[in-house]
Amino acid sequence: MSGTESDGRAGSPGPTRAAVRDRLDRVTDPELDRSIVELEYIDAIEIDGDCVTVEFTLPTAWCSPAFAWMMAVDARDEVESLSSVEEARIVLDEHMHDEEINRGVNKRLSFAESFPDADGDVEAVRADLDEKARVARQYDAVETLLEAGLKPATIVDLRPTDLERYELRTADESAGSGGGAEAERIAIYVRDRTVAVTVPAAPIDRYLEKARETGVVADDAEPLFRTPDGEPIDPESFDLVHQRGRVAQVNMSSQGGICDGLREARERRFGSETGDGGTADD
């Protein structure tokens, strides 16, 4: 297997673990809005020609089957989006519904076909979780702007067209001495470009990605930030909307802490049983 990562063009080499992990990093635990790679859910990646098998384990055996299903389907679809992958096989381990989920996902069945007795539609659950993630991400983005000195009345009037991306480099690198580049930043221009602040790009990008994904910001001329219901924010309601975002962000962070603890406990248990520290083969 070539060590060169597939670039998605015809004639490119087969998939590599690095390419597969990059795709899996785009899959989030829908309850926590964090990458399943970051959360260390991935146990193994096996590559056989143009077929890839991904094994993963969740922090608990009783994690919502709807959430587990979403992660399995998203992992399959992300890996198969690589031009060098013909088929992705997903294996969920140690879950009370792993048999139904593995069979359904790998046979391309729907959630309803795999769980005929389930109440509700999994896509409705996904949409609800996506909205919660959008609100939590908005909180982080707005906090970044407040810390940069922008006032609430200015923030609620921002549009995506007010954002201008650039990469800030160190003085050493600018001088050609090989210094590393700093994190990418975004310039925010207001008042007909007479006022500008610069902020880290990551929280703005994460919010905008989810806002566009959920259809809340479909046009770059529309207001950037919204109420939980998707409406533009009245400046007088800014504090209330921002507080609701904080509640969503804290809830996700708290749940994430619980899951991290459960995962660590699981790893200690299996590490003590196998004597190998529970290191994943990925």
Side-chain angles (χ1 to χ4, degrees), residues 43 55-58 60-61 91-96 98 102:
D43 298 322
E55 293 189 40
F56 75 110
T57 307
L58 301 177
T60 70
V91 180
L92 172 63
D93 292 320
E94 299 175 37
H95 190 277
M96 62 181 178
D98 54 22
N102 291 335

Side-chain angles (χ1 to χ4, degrees), residues 3-281:
T4 304
E5 192 170 321
S6 172
D7 60 8
R9 295 175 298 185
S12 62
T16 65
R17 282 184 171 79
V20 173
R21 283 181 65 88
D22 178 68
R23 293 293 174 170
L24 293 173
D25 196 36
R26 306 179 189 192
V27 178
T28 61
D29 181 320
E31 186 178 26
L32 309 181
D33 194 33
R34 290 169 59 190
S35 160
I36 63 173
V37 172
E38 174 195 347
L39 290 165
E40 300 182 9
Y41 291 174
I42 305 302
D43 298 322
I45 297 170
E46 297 179 5
I47 299 173
D48 182 10
D50 58 6
C51 295
V52 176
T53 298
V54 176
E55 293 189 40
F56 75 110
T57 307
L58 301 177
T60 70
W62 56 89
C63 174
S64 163
F67 298 170
W69 176 273
M70 292 178 210
M71 286 180 265
V73 168
D74 290 351
R76 180 197 68 197
D77 292 347
E78 282 292 347
V79 174
E80 289 186 348
S81 70
L82 289 168
S83 63
S84 52
V85 174
E86 178 67 25
E87 181 182 14
R89 178 172 174 268
I90 308 300
V91 180
L92 172 63
D93 292 320
E94 299 175 37
H95 190 277
M96 62 181 178
H97 292 293
D98 54 22
E99 183 176 342
E100 297 96 324
I101 290 171
N102 291 335
R103 175 179 176 275
V105 170
N106 293 310
K107 286 185 175 293
R108 317 284 164 153
L109 303 179
S110 68
F111 183 78
E113 290 172 321
S114 299
F115 294 92
D117 297 328
D119 293 328
D121 176 17
V122 71
E123 291 308 315
V125 175
R126 183 193 289 274
D128 182 59
L129 292 169
D130 278 344
E131 284 300 328
K132 291 179 180 177
R134 175 185 66 82
V135 173
R137 291 189 188 192
Q138 176 170 296
Y139 174 80
D140 289 336
V142 169
E143 276 291 287
T144 298
L145 299 177
L146 289 171
E147 290 172 3
L150 290 186
K151 302 298 184 183
T154 299
I155 292 173
V156 301
D157 196 44
L158 289 175
R159 269 66 172 165
T161 51
D162 295 319
L163 311 180
E164 183 171 307
R165 186 178 310 277
Y166 73 98
E167 189 174 56
L168 183 65
R169 296 181 178 274
T170 63
D172 286 344
E173 186 177 42
S174 299
S177 59
E182 294 185 8
E184 191 174 40
R185 296 177 72 83
I186 285 179
I188 310 292
Y189 290 98
V190 296
R191 297 177 190 169
D192 298 325
R193 301 179 70 87
T194 59
V195 177
V197 297
T198 62
V199 297
I204 308 297
D205 283 344
R206 273 179 53 79
Y207 164 71
L208 194 51
E209 175 188 40
K210 188 62 70 173
R212 285 175 169 155
E213 182 182 311
T214 55
V216 169
V217 177
D219 188 306
D220 283 352
E222 296 178 345
L224 181 60
F225 299 113
R226 305 300 184 90
T227 68
D229 296 327
E231 300 298 325
I233 302 172
D234 186 306
E236 294 183 359
S237 303
F238 175 86
D239 289 340
L240 177 59
V241 172
H242 194 47
Q243 179 63 24
R244 290 181 67 180
R246 181 177 183 277
V247 170
Q249 198 269 353
V250 168
N251 285 343
M252 283 190 164
S253 296
S254 299
Q255 188 62 35
I258 293 171
C259 288
D260 286 342
L262 292 170
R263 175 182 53 78
E264 290 170 4
R266 186 198 71 205
E267 289 178 351
R268 286 195 298 271
R269 175 166 60 88
F270 282 98
S272 63
E273 290 175 358
T274 62
D276 63 2
T279 302
D281 177 24

